């Protein structure tokens, strides 16, 4: 095991904030992962599992060992004429994996193109975009159960996927380390999901009537590039908050004061776009010190000049939470994992 001490994590989080880990190691196999966990146990250190670092905010140095998962490899198992199970190890880059699937004409993940991060992290918050969540194509995942060191297979019903939620983020937080994820994909008769307004607009612009999975992937990439900052250039972690889901009664009261409030039904409740709430509070495009609210997507907080600390970003997010609470009586919840 290659151990690095007092290691800067700046290049390992898409917010590009500087924080140090007492120890840092990259693991390429299950054996190396076990070795790193044993090291943490022996030294009585806490550990942190790192994927692509695109959904974390480091507000302080990490006094323990950061274990970066680099397990790689993709395999396939044909199920029937129209289905295949494709399995990727946790350290595979998500977008490269989606590309692998779309190039081979395997359908199911194309709406999730260009989401940063690794395959192993995708079940944690049930990543979603443009009308699809991974739960829709999820088959199973192999995990290391840190309670007893066993390797288990979890199926969709075990994971309790919800909107940006699963057992991995909630009831069993920290228990399982995801080693690989399998998806059930179509090889011929694809279920094209093109109902999201922005996708329809893209397809209309290109005069595409019967989109292929590649067309959907390209449309999604174009939409994302038009409004989300590239984390290689501007530090950010995508949506900083979840879109709040509120009871219908609360929504009806709000609608009396805010006639044009956008809203979407979500089971028996109403989902309100947090980007709209934040924009209404005057934050969109605003910069305070080194931190800003993105001018094209108010839900994204940015490290404006690359000099922000995690604590500054956190304070900025607290100010947003306070003003949305004051104006709309809605409590925003952070989507990003704060350390
Ligand atoms: P990390 O940030 O490395 O880790 C996140 C959390 O998961 C940490 O708590 C970590 O300990 C834990 N973890 C990581 N890997 C494992 C593992 N193998 N086993 C157990 N725990 C693990 N998300 C969406 O859902 N939809 C979007 O459209 C979207 N767009 C984004 C756009 C941008 C520009 C950015 C920067 C982010 C976006 N995100 C989006 C958020 C992010 O891409 C996802 O949450 C992604 O799944 C995070 O993956 P990661 O490997 O970078 O996770
Ligand atoms: N809106 C505004 N102002 C803004 C931004 C959004 O008013 O500055 C309103 C508009 O009414 C717009 C609506 O919000 O129609 C929805 O905006 P958008 O389609 O950009 O989606 P979002 O709700 O802001 C969610 C996800 C994204 C995902 C997109 C596309 C969450 C927290 N965010 O954003 O996921 O890519 O939908 O499906 O659910 C992420 O999780 O990191 C992420 C980027």
């Amino acid at each position: 095991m290659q151990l690095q001490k007092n290691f800067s994590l700046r290049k390992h989080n898409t917010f590009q904030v500087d924080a140090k880990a007492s120890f840092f190691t990259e693991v390429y196999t299950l054996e190396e992962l076990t070795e790193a966990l044993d090291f943490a146990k022996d030294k009585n250190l806490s550990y942190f599992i790192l994927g692509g670092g695109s959904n974390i905010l480091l507000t302080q140095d990490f006094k323990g060992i950061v274990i970066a998962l680099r397990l790689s490899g993709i395999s396939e198992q044909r199920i029937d004429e129209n289905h295949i199970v494709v399995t990727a190890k946790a350290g595979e880059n998500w977008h490269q994996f989606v590309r692998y699937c779309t190039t081979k004409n395997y359908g199911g993940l194309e709406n999730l193109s260009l989401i940063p991060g690794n395959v192993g992290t995708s079940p944690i918050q049930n990543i979603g975009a443009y009308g699809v969540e991974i739960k829709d194509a999820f088959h199973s995942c192999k995990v290391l159960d840190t309670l007893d060191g066993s390797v288990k297979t979890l199926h969709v019903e075990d994971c309790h996927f919800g909107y940006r939620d699963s057992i991995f983020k909630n009831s069993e937080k920290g228990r399982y380390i995801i080693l690989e994820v399998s998806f059930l994909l179509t090889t011929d008769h694809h279920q094209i999901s093109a109902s999201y307004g922005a996708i329809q607009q893209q397809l209309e612009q290109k005069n595409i009537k019967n989109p292929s999975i590649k067309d959907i992937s390209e449309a999604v990439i174009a939409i994302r590039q038009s409004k989300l900052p590239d984390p290689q250039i501007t530090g950010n972690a995508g949506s900083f908050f979840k879109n709040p889901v509120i009871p219908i009664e609360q929504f009806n009261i709000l609608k009396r004061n805010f006639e044009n409030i956008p809203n979407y039904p979500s089971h028996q409740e109403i989902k309100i776009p947090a980007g709209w709430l934040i924009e209404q509070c005057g934050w969109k495009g605003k910069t305070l010190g080194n931190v800003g609210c993105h001018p094209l997507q108010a839900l994204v907080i940015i490290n404006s000049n690359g000099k922000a600390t995690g604590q500054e970003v956190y304070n900025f997010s607290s100010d947003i939470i306070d003003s949305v609470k004051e104006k709309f009586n809605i409590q925003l919840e952070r989507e990003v994992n704060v350390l």
Side-chain angles (χ1 to χ4, degrees):
M1 181 176 60
Q2 290 246 338
L3 256 193
Q4 310 215 48
K5 286 185 189 163
N6 206 21
F7 183 84
S8 167
L9 295 167
R10 184 191 273 280
K11 292 193 178 130
H12 295 268
N13 71 98
T14 61
F15 251 118
Q16 300 175 18
V17 298
D18 204 9
K20 292 201 167 51
S22 310
F23 297 95
F24 178 86
T25 190
E26 296 179 297
V27 297
Y28 293 83
T29 61
L30 175 59
E31 290 68 35
E32 287 180 3
L33 171 61
T34 310
E35 202 185 328
L37 293 170
D38 287 346
F39 172 84
K41 202 171 176 188
D42 288 351
K43 299 265 183 277
N44 206 15
L45 289 170
S46 46
Y47 64 86
F48 180 78
I49 302 296
L50 181 69
S54 65
N55 208 20
I56 54 171
L57 177 66
L58 302 161
T59 58
Q60 54 191 320
D61 289 344
F62 184 70
K63 306 233 177 294
I65 176 167
V66 170
I67 304 172
L69 288 191
R70 300 287 183 246
L71 287 73
S72 66
I74 298 177
S75 59
E76 304 179 359
Q77 189 194 356
R78 172 61 73 169
I79 300 297
D80 59 33
E81 269 178 16
N82 193 36
H83 293 96
I84 192 158
V85 169
V86 186
T87 301
K89 300 272 187 205
E92 289 287 340
N93 171 269
W94 175 260
H95 179 61
Q96 299 301 331
F97 174 61
V98 173
R99 254 207 155 116
Y100 171 96
C101 297
T102 50
T103 306
K104 290 195 135 189
N105 196 33
Y106 298 159
L109 300 177
E110 54 281 358
N111 293 56
L112 304 175
S113 297
L114 213 63
I115 297 182
N118 290 355
V119 172
T121 326
S122 62
I124 304 270
Q125 69 161 9
N126 177 28
I127 56 169
Y130 304 100
V132 171
E133 294 177 332
I134 66 141
K135 74 164 170 42
D136 304 326
F138 182 90
H139 175 270
S140 58
C141 64
K142 205 185 254 188
V143 297
L144 176 69
D145 186 345
T146 59
L147 285 186
D148 59 9
S150 64
V151 172
K152 295 182 171 147
T153 299
L154 302 181
H155 291 94
V156 70
E157 61 276 13
D158 302 317
C159 299
H160 296 189
F161 290 121
Y163 165 59
R164 297 294 188 274
D165 198 23
S166 72
I167 54 160
F168 308 109
K169 204 173 175 181
N170 214 322
S171 58
E172 303 295 345
K173 191 170 183 203
R175 172 172 173 182
Y176 298 116
I177 299 175
I178 298 172
L179 303 171
E180 62 180 47
V181 189
S182 300
F183 297 93
L184 180 64
L185 304 177
T186 49
T187 52
D188 193 5
H189 303 292
H190 304 304
Q191 269 208 323
I192 298 292
S193 177
S195 56
Y196 207 94
I199 294 187
Q200 284 177 4
Q201 281 165 19
Q202 281 288 323
L203 296 175
E204 270 164 30
Q205 264 174 31
K206 288 188 161 178
N207 205 16
I208 297 172
K209 300 254 162 22
N210 292 309
S212 65
I213 57 176
K214 269 195 180 157
D215 294 328
I216 297 288
S217 174
E218 279 167 21
V220 167
I221 290 172
I223 300 163
R224 297 183 71 96
Q225 286 176 335
S226 73
K227 60 179 171 187
L228 289 169
D230 178 352
Q232 303 272 14
I233 300 166
T234 308
N236 77 93
S239 300
F240 198 91
F241 306 98
K242 287 169 49 164
N243 286 323
V245 179
I246 60 171
I248 292 175
E249 302 75 50
Q250 189 183 353
F251 172 71
N252 288 337
I253 295 169
L254 271 175
K255 199 153 165 54
R256 278 186 226 141
N257 292 328
F258 305 98
E259 251 176 48
N260 300 325
I261 186 167
N263 59 92
Y264 312 93
S266 173
H267 305 287
Q268 302 306 314
E269 299 189 296
I270 305 282
K271 190 186 269 187
I272 314 279
W276 184 85
L277 298 170
I278 297 167
E279 184 173 347
Q280 296 304 306
C281 292
W283 286 99
K284 194 168 182 172
K286 196 167 175 174
T287 304
L288 292 178
N290 303 312
V291 186
C293 179
H294 194 255
L296 302 177
Q297 194 2 317
L299 200 41
V300 178
I301 297 182
I302 54 174
N303 179 354
S304 310
N305 55 8
K307 292 183 183 157
T309 62
Q311 192 60 51
E312 280 177 282
V313 174
Y314 185 84
N315 294 345
F316 190 92
S317 73
S318 297
D319 290 347
I320 290 180
I321 290 175
D322 290 347
S323 52
V324 168
K325 176 82 184 162
E326 195 181 318
K327 191 171 172 99
F328 297 103
N329 194 26
I330 290 179
Q331 183 71 37
L332 290 183
E333 193 187 322
R334 292 180 180 87
E335 179 196 291
V336 171
N337 300 280
V338 178
L339 264 96

